[in-house]
Amino acid sequence: QVQLVESGGGLVQAGGSLRLSCATSGLRFANYAMAWFRQAPGEERSFVGVINWSGQTTYYADSVKGRFTISRDNTKNTMELQMNSLKPEDTATYYCAARSGAPKETPDEYVFWGQGTQVTVSS
């Protein structure tokens, strides 16, 4: 059974930092591109960033580029999202997702999802 479990969310002031983690089990982690998406109330789920299987390639949404960094550890089957210079508009539930093959930016391309972790940035 494949499981993705996010952690690390919380409440932070604008300008602060948070580090999210995604722990996986039940899949050959190194075979999967891993992504972060987020969803604010009343909005559609949107792409944050993605990392390819090896960790050598990453893509980010323009809104987070230069502030967020994705990394992965294929020995621990984990992925992380370092979020710096947080803004109130970053407030959302953050989800990690996995797909076999090339990294994609569309939620529909992802088969496995975590339950999400809430990030709230106060102004």
Side-chain angles (χ1 to χ4, degrees), residues 6-7 20-22 34-38 46-51 69-71 79-81 94-97 113 117:
E6 301 94 337
S7 61
L20 305 184
S21 294
C22 175
M34 299 294 299
W36 289 97
F37 293 85
R38 66 187 182 186
S46 64
F47 172 74
V48 174
V50 63
I51 188 167
T69 303
I70 297 176
S71 60
M79 172 181 63
E80 296 191 330
L81 178 66
Y94 284 70
Y95 299 89
C96 65
W113 290 85
T117 186

Side-chain angles (χ1 to χ4, degrees), residues 98-110:
R99 75 179 305 273
S100 177
K104 301 287 186 181
E105 300 182 9
T106 307
D108 289 348
E109 298 279 0
Y110 288 79

Side-chain angles (χ1 to χ4, degrees), residues 9-115:
L11 174 63
V12 64
Q13 288 188 332
S17 298
L18 280 176
R19 191 174 183 88
L20 305 184
S21 294
C22 175
T24 74
S25 60
L27 52 72
R28 290 192 175 185
F29 184 72
N31 288 355
Y32 285 78
M34 299 294 299
W36 289 97
F37 293 85
R38 66 187 182 186
Q39 187 168 19
E43 297 184 8
E44 294 186 351
R45 194 166 296 189
S46 64
F47 172 74
V48 174
V50 63
I51 188 167
N52 78 326
W53 69 272
S54 68
Q56 291 185 331
T57 301
T58 54
Y59 302 108
Y60 298 95
D62 288 342
S63 59
V64 307
K65 202 171 294 183
R67 301 188 296 122
F68 290 11
T69 303
I70 297 176
S71 60
R72 67 188 292 161
D73 186 338
N74 286 352
T75 67
K76 297 181 180 179
N77 297 341
T78 59
M79 172 181 63
E80 296 191 330
L81 178 66
Q82 177 66 43
M83 305 186 294
N84 298 328
S85 302
L86 282 162
K87 305 175 181 179
E89 51 263 44
D90 295 318
T91 295
T93 300
Y94 284 70
Y95 299 89
C96 65
R99 75 179 305 273
S100 177
K104 301 287 186 181
E105 300 182 9
T106 307
D108 289 348
E109 298 279 0
Y110 288 79
V111 176
F112 302 114
W113 290 85
Q115 83 291 346

